[in-house]
Amino acid sequence: MMEKIVSLCKRRGFIFPGSEIYGGFAGTYDWGHLGVALKRNITDAWSKAMQDHRNMTFLDSSIFTSGKVWEASGHVSGFSDPLVVCNVCKEKSRADHLLESVGAVADEKLSDADINKIFDENRDKLKCPKCGSKDFGRVRATNLLATSNLGMFEDKDEQVYLRGETAQGIYINYKNVLDTGFVSIPFGIAQIGKAFRNEISPRQFLFRKREFEQMEMQYFCHPNEAMDAYEAWKNERMEYYRKLGINPDKLRFKPHENLVFYAKAACDIEYEFPFGWNELEGVHYRGDYDLSQHQKFSGVDMQYYDEDTKEKYIPHIVETSVGVDRTVLMVLADAYTEDTLGDSQRIVLKLPPKLAPMVCAVSPLLKNKPELVSKAQEVFEPLKKEFGRVVWDDNGNIGKRYRRQDEIGTPWCIVVDFDTLENNTVTVRDRDTGGQERVQISDLSQYIKERI
Ligand code: GAP
C-alpha cells in the first residue's frame, strides 16, 4: 500500500522526491500544489485546536540558534541513534530497528556497551536489509544534529546546528513570552516549524525524513498541577484525531517503557500505518528539566514568581509534539481506498472534507459548448473566491474527471449541463457514494459550508 500512496502522491502532484533530476536526495521530499494545500489544512486544524485554549500563545523561533542551546538541552552529548554498518555492502542501519525486526528489545537510549551486548547475542539472526549479509561491524552512537557552517566559523566551539526540534526555541523564549504580561501560569506556547535530523536510515516516505516539520506545544504549569495537565493533554490530543475524522480503531496510546531520567511520564499516540503501529505524536511530562538546564547554561533566572501566593519556582512542562509530514502520511493512509463504483474500479482518497486539498471541482459538461463553459465560469468564480480550494476541471470526459477528482480526494464535483441553462440547477456528485443531486446555484455555498 505504501508504494501505491507514494505513486499517487507523485502522479497527482502532492509530493515529489527531493532533488529528483539529480538522482534524489535521501530523506527529503518536495511539496506540490495539492501537497501544500493538504499540509496547510493540517497545520490550520492544529493551530485552531491550540487557539481554542484561552491561555495559548504562538511563536516562530529561528532555525539557527547559538550552539549553547543544544549543549544545554543535551542534544550535543546525547541525541544519537545506534548505527551499525554492513561489512559487505556498507549499508548503514539503525541497530535498534534491526533488533526489533527479530523480536529483541533494544532501547535507542541504551549505552554503547549494552546495545553491543544485545546485538552480539542476536548476531546469528540479524541480516543486512540491503544485501542479506550477516557480517556487521560494531554498533556506535551517531549524533543526529545536522551542522552548518553559517558565518564560516573556524572554531569548533562556534559550531552551529540546524534545530533538531522546535521545542528548544520555545524554552529559550519562555521568559520573553512571560515578560510581555499577557500570560501567567498555566499557559502554553505553540509553534510550527522545520526541524532537521541526520537520520541514519530515512524511510517509509514521509515517516522518517531528514528535513521535516513539527507542531509542538509546551505547557508551563505549577509542579503540583503538571500531572493533571499531562493527563488532560493526552486525552485532548487523542480526541483531536478522532474529531479530525481519523479511524479510531487505528489510534492508540502507548506509554513509554523506559523514561528518560528527567521525564515524569510520557506516552506516544500511535497510528496503525501500512507498515504497522508506530509513533504519530509524543505527549511528555518533562518536569523542570529544560528550563533548569537553560538556567544553568545561560545564567538567566528561569523561575516564575506567583504574585498571589508569593511562591517562586521553575515551572514544569508538558509537551505535545507531532510531525506535520507524519500527520500527512497518516491522513493519506487513512483515506486511501480502492473500491468499485458502478462497474468500474477506482482509487479514491476519502479525506475528511475539512482536510481535502480541494473542496470542489467545477466543470462544464462539454467543453466545446461556449454557453456551458460561460455558465460554469459563473458558478466557479464566486465559489473560488469564497472557498479558495476550488478547481476548474474540463479535461477529458466526465468519467475521467470524476476519477481524477476521486484520486485527489475532492468531496464534490459540480457539473453545469443543459438543464442548468433552463433552471439554474447543477449536479453535485458525492465522492464517496458517487450519488448525484441537483442543487440550485444560489444554494451551493451553503451546501458546501454545511458539509465541511
Ligand atoms: N520535542 C520532542 C521531540 O522532538 P520526538 O519524538 O523526537 O520528540 C516528535 O519527535 C514528533 O516529531 C514525532 O512524534 C514525529 O511525529 C515527528 N518526527 C520526529 N522525527 C521525525 C522524522 N525524522 N521525520 C518525520 N517526522 C519526525
Side-chain angles (χ1 to χ4, degrees), residues 142-423:
T142 309
N143 194 280
L144 298 181
L145 283 178
T147 56
S148 167
N149 64 351
L150 185 80
M152 310 268 198
F153 299 124
E154 279 159 22
D155 189 342
K156 178 88 173 58
D157 292 345
E158 300 242 31
Q159 179 89 68
V160 284
Y161 303 98
L162 297 176
R163 65 181 176 202
E165 59 173 13
T166 64
Q168 296 304 324
I170 297 182
Y171 305 142
I172 62 173
N173 278 290
Y174 139 84
K175 269 265 144 162
N176 284 334
V177 174
L178 206 52
D179 290 347
T180 59
F182 288 112
V183 286
S184 55
I185 296 279
F187 72 97
I189 305 180
Q191 163 157 246
I192 298 176
K194 288 254 172 150
F196 304 84
R197 294 183 189 177
N198 251 327
E199 294 286 352
I200 293 169
S201 49
R203 61 186 184 140
Q204 311 292 25
F205 192 31
L206 307 176
F207 185 82
R208 197 175 300 286
K209 298 168 70 194
R210 287 184 170 145
E211 175 183 335
F212 57 99
E213 233 171 317
Q214 287 186 312
M215 301 182 275
E216 297 201 296
M217 189 285 308
Q218 313 293 322
Y219 200 68
F220 299 83
C221 36
H222 187 282
N224 294 346
E225 286 161 8
M227 201 60 195
D228 286 348
Y230 166 74
E231 289 299 333
W233 276 106
K234 237 176 84 177
N235 294 329
E236 172 168 336
R237 294 301 300 153
M238 180 62 97
E239 196 48 31
Y240 163 82
Y241 290 113
R242 293 189 178 136
K243 279 202 192 129
L244 206 57
I246 305 303
N247 180 354
D249 296 339
K250 292 190 168 227
L251 289 164
R252 71 180 186 193
F253 286 118
K254 184 164 179 232
H256 285 197
E257 277 158 20
N258 298 308
L259 290 176
V260 279
F261 71 91
Y262 54 81
K264 312 271 181 216
C267 75
D268 292 338
I269 294 178
E270 288 195 332
Y271 178 77
E272 192 177 15
F273 289 93
F275 43 89
W277 286 97
N278 238 304
E279 174 183 346
L280 168 68
E281 167 160 350
V283 184
H284 314 127
Y285 172 13
R286 304 177 59 96
D288 65 1
Y289 175 77
D290 308 284
L291 294 183
S292 298
Q293 283 294 102
H294 285 300
Q295 174 168 290
K296 193 163 127 197
F297 277 72
S298 68
V300 172
D301 183 359
M302 291 287 183
Q303 292 180 97
Y304 174 77
Y305 179 63
D306 188 321
E307 300 277 355
D308 297 331
T309 62
K310 311 292 177 218
E311 196 184 354
K312 238 179 164 188
Y313 59 90
I314 293 187
H316 279 206
I317 291 176
V318 175
E319 166 184 71
T320 70
S321 174
V322 60
V324 176
D325 315 69
R326 214 173 268 193
T327 310
V328 170
L329 180 59
M330 170 191 67
V331 164
L332 288 171
D334 215 57
Y336 185 93
T337 312
E338 289 176 7
D339 65 12
T340 311
L341 198 61
D343 48 11
S344 64
Q345 282 280 109
R346 66 166 184 169
I347 293 172
V348 52
L349 286 186
K350 294 190 173 179
L351 293 166
K354 195 158 110 180
L355 298 183
M358 295 296 146
V359 276
C360 65
V362 179
S363 299
L365 180 66
L366 299 168
K367 105 185 205 189
N368 58 359
K369 295 283 175 207
E371 63 276 34
L372 292 184
V373 173
S374 82
K375 189 73 184 169
Q377 262 156 2
E378 274 174 38
V379 174
F380 173 73
E381 295 297 342
L383 289 176
K384 175 85 183 149
K385 216 172 215 161
E386 183 172 0
F387 296 101
R389 298 146 50 203
V390 177
V391 61
W392 174 266
D393 192 355
D394 62 5
N395 202 358
N397 66 34
I398 203 76
K400 281 207 179 114
R401 292 180 212 165
Y402 287 158
R403 292 295 158 273
R404 192 163 47 236
Q405 296 302 328
D406 284 347
E407 280 203 12
I408 67 169
T410 310
W412 300 288
C413 287
I414 296 167
V415 177
V416 169
D417 55 21
F418 292 103
D419 287 348
T420 314
L421 304 178
E422 303 295 318
N423 61 14

Side-chain angles (χ1 to χ4, degrees), residues 41-61:
N41 296 339
I42 284 170
T43 51
D44 282 354
W46 184 87
S47 300
K48 171 78 179 62
M50 289 299 160
Q51 213 170 30
D52 285 346
H53 289 261
R54 55 176 282 279
N55 55 353
M56 188 60 64
T57 62
F58 287 82
L59 180 77
D60 186 0
S61 67

